C-alpha cells in the first residue's frame, strides 16, 4: 500500500478504510477509529465490523474496479458507505458519509407526498360526489321544467312561461358552473385525458347554441349563429374540449352583455376553422385587455382569477386550448363589446383512411404500394 494514500486520508473528517482482497482492513483513518470506537481496526475483517453484503465479493470488487453503496446505522448516526475497487493498487477504498439528516428529510418529504396524495384523492372524491349529488337533481329540474313549458295552456303561457324559463336556465347555469370547477380541477391535476376523433364543428356549435338559446330568450338578447362555409368543417380534436371552450366563451358573453346581441361566426381561414364569439357587452378595460392578450399568447404566466372580468373560465379555456393545440385571440372596445376568436386546425383531406399502428403511432395512407409509405 502506498504511503501517499495514508497521509492523504489520515485526517479526513469522514471515515476511510482500505481493504485487501480478503476483506482485511489494512488501514483506517482517525475518524473511522473514532466512529467504530476502536484503535485497532487494522487486520480485522470488515465483515466482523459491519453487515457487509454476502453477495459482494471483495476480490471481484477490486479486480473489476467495481463501486457500490451500503447504508449502515452506527449508533444514532446513519452512514452511507461508498466502496470502490482499485485494481492498480490491489485494494478497495471505503468512505462513509453521514446521511442522518438527509434521510430524516427524505422520510419527511415522503410523508408529505403521501399526505398530499391522500388530500388530492379526497378532493377528487369530494368533487365527484358533489358534482353527482348536485347535477342529478338539477337535471331532473331542467327536464321537468322543459316538459311543463311544453304543456302550458296557451291562455296561461304569457303569464307562467317566463318563470319556468327562469327556473330552467338557472339550473343550466348551475350545471355549467359545476362543470367548470370540475374541468378546471382535472386540467390542473392533469387527470383529464382528451379523446381525439373526427368532429363536425358545425354540429358542436349548433349544440352549444341550442343550450344557450332559452337563456338568450329570457334575457331578451338576440343570439344568432352564422356559418360562412362551403362545406361541413371537419376537425380532428377532443369534442368535449371544443364544446367546453365554446360554452365558457358564450357564458362569459352573456355575463357581460345586459342588452344587445351575441353572435357566433364560423368561417374558414385556409388551414384552420375559426369561431368568433361576438358580443355588444361592456368590453374589457385597456389594462386588463393587455394582460389578457399576453395570457393567451403565453407571455403572461400569472393567474387571471383575481380579475373579475375574466375569472376562472378563461384560465380553463387557455388550458383546453393548449391541450388540443388550438389558438385563442381577443379584440375589444371598452363600452362596446368584445370578440373572442377560437381557431383549430382542419382535418387533412388527403387522409381518406387512417390506421393507427398501436406500437409506434404511425399513420398509414391507403396505397397499393408495399407497406412503408407513411406520414
Amino acid at each position: 500500500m502506498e504511503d501517499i494514500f495514508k497521509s492523504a486520508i489520515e485526517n479526513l473528517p469522514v471515515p476511510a478504510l482500505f481493504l485487501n482482497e480478503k476483506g482485511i482492513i489494512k488501514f483506517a483513518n482517525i475518524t473511522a477509529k473514532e466512529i467504530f470506537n476502536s484503535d485497532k481496526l487494522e487486520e480485522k475483517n470488515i465483515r466482523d465490523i459491519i453487515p457487509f453484503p454476502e453477495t459482494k465479493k471483495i476480490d471481484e470488487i477490486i479486480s473489476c474496479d467495481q463501486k457500490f453503496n451500503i447504508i449502515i446505522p452506527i449508533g444514532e448516526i446513519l452512514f452511507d458507505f461508498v466502496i470502490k475497487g482499485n485494481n492498480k493498487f490491489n485494494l478497495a477504498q471505503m468512505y462513509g458519509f453521514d446521511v442522518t439528516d438527509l434521510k430524516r428529510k427524505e422520510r419527511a418529504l415522503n410523508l408529505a407526498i403521501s399526505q398530499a396524495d391522500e388530500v388530492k384523492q379526497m378532493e377528487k372524491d369530494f368533487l365527484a360526489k358533489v358534482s353527482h349529488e348536485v347535477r342529478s337533481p338539477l337535471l331532473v329540474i331542467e327536464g321537468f321544467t322543459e316538459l311543463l313549458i311544453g304543456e302550458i295552456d296557451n291562455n296561461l303561457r304569457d303569464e307562467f312561461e317566463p318563470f319556468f324559463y327562469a327556473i330552467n336556465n338557472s339550473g343550466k347555469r348551475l350545471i355549467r358552473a359545476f362543470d367548470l370547477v370540475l374541468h378546471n380541477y382535472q386540467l390542473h391535476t392533469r387527470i383529464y385525458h382528451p379523446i381525439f376523433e373526427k368532429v363536425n364543428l358545425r354540429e358542436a356549435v349548433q349544440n352549444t347554441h341550442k343550450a344557450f338559446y332559452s337563456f338568450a330568450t329570457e334575457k331578451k338578447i338576440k343570439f344568432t349563429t352564422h356559418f360562412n362555409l362551403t362545406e361541413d368543417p371537419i376537425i380532428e380534436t377532443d369534442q368535449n374540449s371544443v364544446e367546453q371552450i365554446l360554452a365558457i366563451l358564450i357564458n362569459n358573453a352573456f355575463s357581460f352583455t345586459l342588452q344587445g346581441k351575441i353572435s357566433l361566426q364560423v368561417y374558414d381561414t385556409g388551414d384552420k376553422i375559426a369561431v368568433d364569439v361576438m358580443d355588444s357587452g361592456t368590453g374589457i378595460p385597456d389594462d386588463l385587455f393587455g394582460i389578457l392578450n399576453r395570457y393567451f399568447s403565453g407571455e403572461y404566466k400569472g393567474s387571471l382569477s383575481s380579475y373579475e372580468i375574466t375569472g376562472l373560465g378563461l384560465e380553463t379555456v387557455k388550458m383546453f386550448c393548449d391541450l388540443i393545440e388550438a389558438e385563442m385571440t381577443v379584440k375589444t372596445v371598452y363600452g362596446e363589446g368584445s370578440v373572442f376568436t377560437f381557431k383549430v386546425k382542419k382535418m387533412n383531406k388527403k387522409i381518406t383512411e387512417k390506421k393507427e399502428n398501436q406500437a409506434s403511432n404511425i399513420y398509414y395512407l391507403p396505397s397499393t404500394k408495399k407497406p412503408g409509405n407513411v406520414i
Side-chain angles (χ1 to χ4, degrees), residues 211-255:
F212 283 89
Y213 186 76
S214 62
F215 189 60
T217 302
E218 180 196 349
K219 293 192 70 174
K220 297 181 180 179
I221 292 175
K222 186 178 181 181
F223 184 37
T224 58
T225 299
H226 305 279
F227 294 91
N228 301 317
L229 301 163
T230 57
E231 58 185 13
D232 279 345
I234 305 300
I235 58 177
E236 186 175 11
T237 189
D238 175 45
Q239 182 163 348
N240 182 66
S241 295
V242 170
E243 291 181 350
Q244 289 300 320
I245 290 169
L246 292 173
I248 292 169
L249 294 179
I250 295 169
N251 189 67
N252 281 359
F254 276 108
S255 296

Side-chain angles (χ1 to χ4, degrees), residues 130-245:
V130 169
S131 177
H132 172 74
E133 294 297 329
V134 174
R135 283 174 60 90
S136 296
L138 286 176
L139 288 171
V140 172
I141 293 171
E142 180 185 343
F144 276 108
T145 51
E146 288 178 353
L147 181 63
L148 288 170
I149 290 171
E151 295 296 325
I152 295 176
D153 187 274
N154 288 334
N155 296 328
L156 302 174
R157 183 170 296 276
D158 291 341
E159 181 179 356
F160 289 102
E161 189 176 60
F163 299 114
F164 286 120
Y165 270 125
I167 296 171
N168 186 266
N169 290 324
S170 296
K172 288 180 178 178
R173 291 197 69 177
L174 278 173
I175 291 173
R176 285 196 294 270
F178 274 103
D179 285 344
L180 176 59
V181 172
L182 188 60
H183 282 121
N184 191 273
Y185 172 79
Q186 290 174 332
L187 289 165
H188 271 295
T189 55
R190 299 181 181 180
I191 61 174
Y192 179 84
H193 301 292
I195 300 174
F196 288 89
E197 58 188 351
K198 187 187 295 185
V199 175
N200 187 329
L201 190 57
R202 182 192 296 271
E203 294 178 359
V205 172
Q206 287 174 334
N207 290 339
T208 310
H209 180 274
K210 183 179 179 181
F212 283 89
Y213 186 76
S214 62
F215 189 60
T217 302
E218 180 196 349
K219 293 192 70 174
K220 297 181 180 179
I221 292 175
K222 186 178 181 181
F223 184 37
T224 58
T225 299
H226 305 279
F227 294 91
N228 301 317
L229 301 163
T230 57
E231 58 185 13
D232 279 345
I234 305 300
I235 58 177
E236 186 175 11
T237 189
D238 175 45
Q239 182 163 348
N240 182 66
S241 295
V242 170
E243 291 181 350
Q244 289 300 320
I245 290 169

Side-chain angles (χ1 to χ4, degrees), residues 2-59:
E2 297 289 341
D3 290 338
I4 189 171
F5 274 133
K6 291 184 180 181
S7 60
I9 69 170
E10 179 67 42
N11 296 307
L12 281 179
V14 298
L17 305 98
F18 292 160
L19 316 175
N20 68 9
E21 68 276 4
K22 295 182 179 180
I24 303 300
I25 300 172
K26 305 306 292 183
F27 173 78
N29 71 350
I30 295 173
T31 307
K33 293 175 180 178
E34 290 176 350
I35 287 172
F36 289 106
N37 195 26
S38 174
D39 291 331
K40 298 179 180 180
L41 287 176
E42 285 86 351
E43 302 306 323
K44 290 185 178 180
N45 195 303
I46 190 64
R47 298 184 188 277
D48 297 331
I49 306 298
I50 63 172
F52 203 90
E54 292 292 336
T55 56
K56 297 294 183 180
K57 306 299 182 183
I58 297 178
D59 56 342

Side-chain angles (χ1 to χ4, degrees), residues 119-137:
V119 171
K120 186 182 293 185
Q121 185 61 43
M122 289 172 63
E123 289 177 350
K124 183 179 177 180
D125 294 342
F126 174 76
L127 280 173
K129 186 172 183 179
V130 169
S131 177
H132 172 74
E133 294 297 329
V134 174
R135 283 174 60 90
S136 296

Side-chain angles (χ1 to χ4, degrees), residues 296-325:
F296 281 125
S297 68
E299 295 177 20
Y300 180 73
K301 302 298 183 182
S303 172
L304 296 179
S305 58
S306 59
Y307 298 102
E308 183 180 353
I309 203 165
T310 56
L312 183 66
L314 292 183
E315 288 191 355
T316 307
V317 166
K318 178 65 166 61
M319 287 188 285
F320 271 126
C321 285
D322 291 343
L323 195 67
I324 62 174
E325 297 183 354

